[in-house]
């Protein structure tokens, strides 16, 4: 029998994808330069030259090595390169055995959810949140519990998390630098969250796990991105090269189960089991080699900073209110009416394509992905002004 839940998830496309498809249609109708598509987090910054050089080197390998299966958790050299890079940056002592190569952060997070929860348990997410979390939590048979971020700073609100914890809470997912708000959780916030979790762990058979989803770790504008496992010991880290190396279509990332995590020896087999169960073993071999070669390549943050600056300066001049983004490449802006969906529909008349906040679990805001070309942003500014003028009128 066809699975009703799977049917429903496939039949309803994600709002972000729906807007992106509308944008493609509209571009075909009126010309690509006349549509201002802020919907997707698809980096416009090219992948570093080192990626191409690495691919060219790999192409010299014998076919079996180049295209063959790798071990289920990944190539030893890729896992070692990731561990070495983390050790250099965070003063840790991870080994290749702590790293499981994945098909991007989507796989990393869904594997961790499946590995760390049982049906009937609860997973806390911080709203607004990346919408796929709810889908993956549902698939694991767990319940997604939304906890609002602090509405001024968009940091995690540790007291609100404390109030949401029940005996069924298995894990909390955090995402910093944050999609969709651009907030970067401070050390102080994370320490307060760790205190809440440790207090809740008293008397429990197993601790509450923290799943730290970090595909935007490298994309920050000066803020510190603290290393979460050094603040809360029961943390697993999910990463991807989709954003940092502009490789979203290549599907490569990893899960780190730090060897400092008290239950690491049981968690890593569970992560491997989740990868096996979900069919996520053996990440693309070519791009595991790219990771081994390019693990320390810097991201081109300057391009995103330039986009952020031109966009925020103009929007603030036109009277929009937004969260000052410290990281990632999203701007979280207050809609000019209570109904964010209605606002985004109205924006379409100006060929502006933002994503309404309802998709991220909260009303009244919209998200702009400013990882697009600088010229598209500059050319869209008059439309943002006219839209604001229309509301004022
Ligand atoms: N987590 C967050 C917060 C994201 O924003 C995304 C993608 O946009 C993902 C996970 C999935 O990333 P990937 O493309 O590496 O699967």
């Amino acid at each position: 029998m066809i699975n009703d839940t799977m049917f429903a998830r496939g039949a309803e496309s994600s709002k972000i994808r729906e807007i992106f498809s509308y944008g493609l249609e509209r571009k075909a109708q009126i010309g690509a330069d006349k549509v201002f598509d802020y919907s997707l987090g698809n980096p416009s910054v090219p992948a570093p030259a080192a990626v191409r050089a690495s691919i060219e080197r790999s192409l010299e390998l014998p076919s079996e090595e180049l295209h063959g299966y790798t071990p289920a958790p990944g190539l030893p050299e890729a896992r070692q390169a990731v561990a070495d890079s983390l050790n250099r940056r965070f003063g840790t002592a991870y080994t290749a055995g702590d790293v499981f190569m994945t098909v991007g952060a989507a796989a990393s997070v869904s594997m961790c959810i499946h590995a760390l929860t049982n049906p009937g348990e609860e997973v806390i997410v911080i709203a607004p949140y990346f919408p796929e979390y709810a889908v993956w939590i549902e698939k694991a048979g767990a319940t997604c519990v939304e906890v609002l971020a602090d509405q001024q700073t968009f940091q995690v609100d540790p007291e609100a998390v404390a109030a949401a914890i029940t005996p069924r809470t298995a894990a909390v997912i955090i995402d910093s630098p944050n999609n969709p708000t651009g907030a970067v959780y401070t050390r102080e916030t994370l320490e307060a969250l760790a205190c809440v979790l440790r207090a809740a762990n008293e008397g429990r058979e197993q601790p509450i796990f923290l799943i730290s989803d970090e595909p935007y770790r490298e994309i920050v504008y000066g803020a510190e991105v603290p290393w979460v496992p050094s603040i809360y010991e029961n943390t697993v880290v999910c990463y991807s090269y989709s954003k940092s190396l502009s490789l979203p279509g290549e599907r490569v990332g990893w899960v780190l189960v730090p060897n400092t995590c008290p239950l690491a020896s049981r968690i890593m087999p569970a992560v491997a089991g989740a990868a096996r169960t979900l069919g996520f073993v053996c990440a693309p071999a070519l791009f595991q080699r790219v990771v081994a070669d390019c693990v320390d390549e810097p991201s081109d943050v300057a391009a995103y900073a330039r986009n952020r600056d031109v966009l925020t300066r103009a929007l603030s001049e036109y009277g929009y209110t937004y969260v000052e983004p410290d990281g990632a490449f999203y701007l979280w802006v207050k809609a000019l009416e209570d109904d964010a969906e209605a606002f985004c529909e109205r924006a379409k008349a100006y060929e502006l394509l933002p994503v309404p906040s309802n998709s991220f679990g909260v009303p009244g805001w919209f998200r702009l992905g400013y990882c697009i070309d600088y010229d598209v942003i500059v050319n869209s500014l008059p439309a943002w002004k006219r839209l604001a003028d229309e509301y004022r009128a």
Side-chain angles (χ1 to χ4, degrees), residues 65 69-71 73-80 96 101 284-286 288-289:
E65 225 176 299
Y69 287 123
T70 71
L75 287 170
E77 58 267 39
R79 301 168 74 196
Q80 189 65 53
M101 302 303 292
L286 176 59
Q288 290 191 52
R289 290 199 170 81

Side-chain angles (χ1 to χ4, degrees), residues 103-106 130 133 136 175 179 213 215-216 240 242-243 248 251 330:
V103 281
F130 182 59
Y133 293 159
W136 299 329
D175 157 33
N179 174 10
D213 180 23
Y216 303 95
S240 130
S242 297
K243 319 293 175 174
R251 317 306 302 135
Y330 303 106

Side-chain angles (χ1 to χ4, degrees), residues 51-76:
V51 167
R52 189 187 181 97
S54 167
I55 293 170
E56 282 170 357
R57 271 196 306 279
S58 285
L59 293 180
E60 301 301 320
L61 291 170
S63 177
E64 202 184 315
E65 225 176 299
L66 175 59
H67 299 302
Y69 287 123
T70 71
L75 287 170

Side-chain angles (χ1 to χ4, degrees), residues 126 147-150 152-162 172-176 178 183-198 210 224-228 231-232 326:
I126 311 302
V147 171
L148 267 189
D150 180 294
Q152 298 304 317
T153 60
F154 286 87
Q155 297 279 307
V156 177
D157 178 346
E159 283 174 23
V161 172
V172 178
I173 304 179
I174 56 170
D175 157 33
S176 169
N178 187 263
V184 177
Y185 297 160
T186 63
R187 183 171 289 280
E188 199 186 354
T189 297
L190 293 166
E191 281 170 354
L193 177 64
C195 277
V196 162
L197 297 181
R198 280 196 202 103
L210 195 53
E224 182 205 11
V225 187
W227 183 240
V228 185
I231 295 174
Y232 182 62
D326 288 325

Side-chain angles (χ1 to χ4, degrees), residues 195-278:
C195 277
V196 162
L197 297 181
R198 280 196 202 103
N201 289 342
E202 295 284 330
R204 288 173 57 114
E205 195 186 325
Q206 277 192 15
I208 298 172
F209 296 104
L210 195 53
I211 300 174
S212 186
D213 180 23
E214 307 187 353
Y216 303 95
R217 165 168 282 281
E218 270 62 56
I219 301 170
V220 274
Y221 312 107
E224 182 205 11
V225 187
W227 183 240
V228 185
S230 71
I231 295 174
Y232 182 62
E233 55 285 5
N234 297 297
T235 300
V236 296
V237 181
C238 298
Y239 188 79
S240 130
Y241 296 90
S242 297
K243 319 293 175 174
S244 58
L245 294 184
S246 296
L247 295 174
E250 308 301 354
R251 317 306 302 135
V252 69
W254 44 257
V255 170
L256 174 83
V257 180
N259 51 24
T260 45
C261 179
L263 291 175
S265 64
R266 293 194 55 207
I267 296 173
M268 189 44 116
V271 165
R276 179 182 172 198
T277 306
L278 295 166

